[in-house]
Amino acid sequence: INTEELEEEPMVNGDKSDCVPSDTVVSGNKGRAKHGNTETKTDGEGVDRAAASEQSNSTGKLRKKKKKQKSKKSTTGETLENGLEDIDRILERIEDRGGLARPGPPPLSSRKHVLHVEHRHLNPDTELKRYFGARAILGEQRPRQRQRVYPKSMWLTTPKSTWPRYSKPGLSMRLLETKKGLSSFMFEHSEEYQQVQHKFLAAVESMEPNNIVVLLQTSPYHVDSLLQLSDACRLQDDQEMARDLIERALYSMECAFHPLFSLTSGTCRLDYRRPENRSFYLALYKQMIFLEKRGCPRTALEYCKLILSLEPDEDPLCMLLLVDHLALRARSYDYLICLFQDWEAHRNLSQLPNFAFSVPLAYFLLSQQADHPQSERSAAREKASVLIRQALIMFPGVLMPLLEYCSVRPDTAVANHHFFGPNAQISQSPALSQLVSLYLGRSHFLWKEPAIMSWLEENVHEVVQAVDSGDPAVGACESRRRVLYQRAPRNIHRHVVLSEVKEAVATLPPDVTTQSVMGFDPLPPTDTIYSYVRPERQTPVGQANTVALFFRSLLPNYTTEEDRLQEERLDEEGGIADGLDRVQGLNRLMMAVREMMANFQFNDLDLPRRDRENPENQENPWI
């Protein structure tokens, strides 16, 4: 009996009838018995067939489940191969499920926790997918991945098929020491790379970008050349080429990483005093700026944390002046508050104007989120009000420029008050004015919302009342400003130069603005640690200075400073030079000039005219 015949049984009130039809009941006993036997037989076979069908359905479901599990395993394997999921997070999940503790280093402290970098947030595509969807981002990349030349996956960049074929340029990384859980590394240049570096410095001194282009044709992965040419392209408004050169520089340096160097642990250090390490700092910074302009503040924040983790104590690029801005743009308010709470004790972040105003703004923005409980929102708003009042008392010169940036006209009582008036900006030291200009030029648009302005107005009026009542905190903050902000350190000047914020660059001191600043090494540290020294070059006569050529044409014995140094070097090596010092060379030059001036004879040009007027005064007028 087929299943279709079972489904075609008579229906009574929507159900299958278990009794026989009426005409078979009227028939004889034999027929009834036969029919009853066939009926019971049919029922038994139907039940068996139904059970078999149910079993087959269950086995089909099991097969589908196994297929789904296999597909899930394959997809997780693909994510691991593509580097889309962090291995450390998978290990943490396994530990949580199994309850087993994995042997390893001790847990990171709070200071290291805020410097922890997540691999997946270093890829800007992760952030762009959240905005525009995966199809919009990966639609054009899928056919390219099949023909990709570089199978090695990188964390910082994605190699492009348009790049030159990669060959090791002579750049490597060495582990210096491991102490107290921190590992110090440094980049190393091979002899071949050093020769390319010397050629690059000569090309920079020539002030001709085409010389750097020629150098990159033979050494396409020289990092400093890529950084310098990127600045030249950016000044010519070729942003795409500038960003491509920075990514190529990062790729070259990432290929040279030491096996123990980690981008995410926050325990690896690079000394900025070594020139070989500075290229990595600057490449990360420039890539971070490109990501922020591209509309990826979350990825830029991760790059900022990475730069800060390489040397958090010295902070050579002064990333603490930028991390609050990126955190607010990325809406990572909790991270900014956590960083402030963990580092305030030993770094005094509240003494920086950017942290003094950004942290209360983060608290206020948290209080505006509807998904938080009402108690947490009210506590965050109260904390924000307390901190913004402290910031206004500590930095009163911020208020009026901030309102001017936001196109807000202040109240008459506030504008004419002596605490917030023009005297507040005039009395600021140049170092403090530089920090204020940097913060306002970069983050003023974050305060333009009407809710933020109304909250700021309430606290400004409370500060005015506190000043009028003689609050002792006002005098304490004034004396603290006079002591702390006397002169900005060199890392702040370096950060201002790299930021290119016009308002802050205008406040740089003359000793910084008068010296030449190179894009591949802006304001190098005074205590630089050199691994190798650039050899001295002999300047040919055809390439000498114009003034030196003029004096040499007049005075064959004239010696320039470079010639004197060359003579001294030859004298040390056993040459025939006398090794005259600077005083002797200067005296010889002055004696030659005196001799030349003494031999000059001046002829009276008016004498022929006078003789023509008085011919009797001359013996022979035609001679």
Side-chain angles (χ1 to χ4, degrees), residues 80-276:
L80 286 174
E81 292 177 358
N82 296 330
L84 298 179
E85 189 166 0
D86 195 358
I87 300 177
D88 297 334
R89 303 185 69 182
I90 297 176
L91 293 176
E92 291 177 359
R93 294 174 186 172
I94 296 174
E95 292 173 8
D96 295 337
R97 292 177 183 177
L100 299 177
R102 177 171 55 92
L108 297 175
S109 62
S110 60
R111 181 178 177 183
K112 298 174 184 177
H113 177 69
V114 296
L115 298 179
H116 178 72
V117 179
E118 296 184 13
H119 275 146
R120 61 190 181 93
H121 287 304
L122 290 174
N123 188 0
D125 292 339
T126 304
E127 187 172 4
L128 293 175
K129 287 177 190 176
R130 191 173 61 192
Y131 297 149
F132 306 106
R135 292 184 178 181
I137 303 303
L138 299 178
E140 299 181 356
Q141 298 179 1
R142 287 174 182 172
R144 294 180 182 177
Q145 289 179 356
R146 296 175 184 175
Q147 302 176 358
R148 199 170 77 176
V149 182
Y150 307 94
K152 185 177 180 181
S153 61
M154 313 299 287
W155 291 115
L156 296 176
T157 57
T158 302
K160 299 179 181 179
S161 59
T162 57
W163 291 355
R165 183 174 295 275
Y166 178 78
S167 60
K168 293 183 179 180
L171 190 65
S172 61
M173 181 181 281
R174 179 165 62 94
L175 175 63
L176 296 178
E177 63 176 357
T178 301
K179 186 177 181 181
K180 296 182 180 179
L182 301 177
S183 301
S184 298
F185 297 86
M186 69 166 290
F187 284 95
E188 285 186 326
H189 295 171
S190 64
E191 293 183 0
E192 181 181 359
Y193 197 94
Q194 291 178 15
Q195 297 298 326
V196 178
Q197 186 73 13
H198 299 331
K199 294 179 182 178
F200 163 73
L201 294 177
V204 170
E205 291 176 355
S206 67
M207 303 298 291
E208 181 61 38
N210 291 330
N211 295 336
I212 302 178
V213 175
V214 174
L215 181 61
L216 283 175
Q217 290 177 356
T218 56
S219 302
Y221 287 94
H222 182 253
V223 177
D224 286 344
S225 299
L226 294 170
L227 295 179
Q228 190 70 20
L229 188 60
S230 174
D231 287 344
C233 293
R234 185 173 53 83
L235 293 176
Q236 296 177 0
D237 293 332
D238 192 354
Q239 302 294 331
E240 189 66 25
M241 178 58 68
R243 186 175 62 186
D244 185 79
L245 293 172
I246 294 298
E247 291 179 357
R248 199 198 303 182
L250 286 174
Y251 178 76
S252 177
M253 304 194 79
E254 191 172 0
C255 290
F257 279 176
H258 192 274
L260 298 180
F261 184 78
S262 174
L263 294 172
T264 60
S265 63
T267 58
C268 297
R269 300 290 183 264
L270 285 176
D271 194 351
Y272 193 80
R273 294 177 299 174
R274 299 184 180 272
E276 298 87 352

Side-chain angles (χ1 to χ4, degrees), residues 27 124 128 134 209 311 408 473 608:
S27 62
L128 293 175
E311 200 171 358
V408 175

Side-chain angles (χ1 to χ4, degrees), residues 495-508:
H495 179 87
V496 171
V497 171
L498 289 173
S499 66
E500 298 181 355
V501 178
K502 297 180 181 179
E503 295 81 3
V505 173
T507 59
L508 287 172

